[in-house]
Amino acid sequence: MSGVDAFAPGFEVPLHRSLTEPILLGGSPRTVAIANGTTAAAVGLGLQLWLLGVVLWIVGHALAVWGAKLDPQFMQVFTLHIKHKSLLDV
């Protein structure tokens, strides 16, 4: 016996794929998709700029999908980046 089998026999827990994959809506992270849709709806309905709302939604969703293809957790990384101050800035 070697490796994991010798460590703790009988203690195995199945790890489902849904616990490790990010939650995406249409290819973009769920929070980004909801915020983007809400912003586009506010511009389209509230300001009655329908075309601008649709364009804003399409561009925002395309950017979110592109970012999620590069790194599915890009929003968490971005928020941490914004929170921390730069090391070399005075």
Side-chain angles (χ1 to χ4, degrees), residues 57-82:
W57 176 74
I58 290 172
V59 170
H61 190 74
L63 287 174
V65 170
W66 175 73
K69 282 185 181 181
L70 292 177
D71 181 13
Q73 297 178 348
F74 78 96
M75 281 308 294
Q76 289 87 350
V77 173
F78 182 68
T79 54
L80 286 175
H81 169 71
I82 295 298

Side-chain angles (χ1 to χ4, degrees), residues 9 48-49 56 63 66:
Q48 294 182 356
L49 298 171
L56 184 68
L63 287 174
W66 175 73

Side-chain angles (χ1 to χ4, degrees), residues 1-57:
M1 295 180 98
S2 65
V4 178
D5 296 333
F7 179 68
F11 290 97
E12 245 180 56
V13 178
L15 183 61
H16 294 281
R17 205 172 83 188
S18 63
L19 294 174
T20 61
E21 290 181 353
I23 300 172
L24 302 176
L25 285 178
S28 73
R30 181 177 60 176
T31 55
V32 178
I34 291 170
N36 184 36
T38 303
T39 304
V43 169
L45 296 173
L47 299 177
Q48 294 182 356
L49 298 171
W50 304 100
L51 186 60
L52 181 62
V54 171
V55 169
L56 184 68
W57 176 74

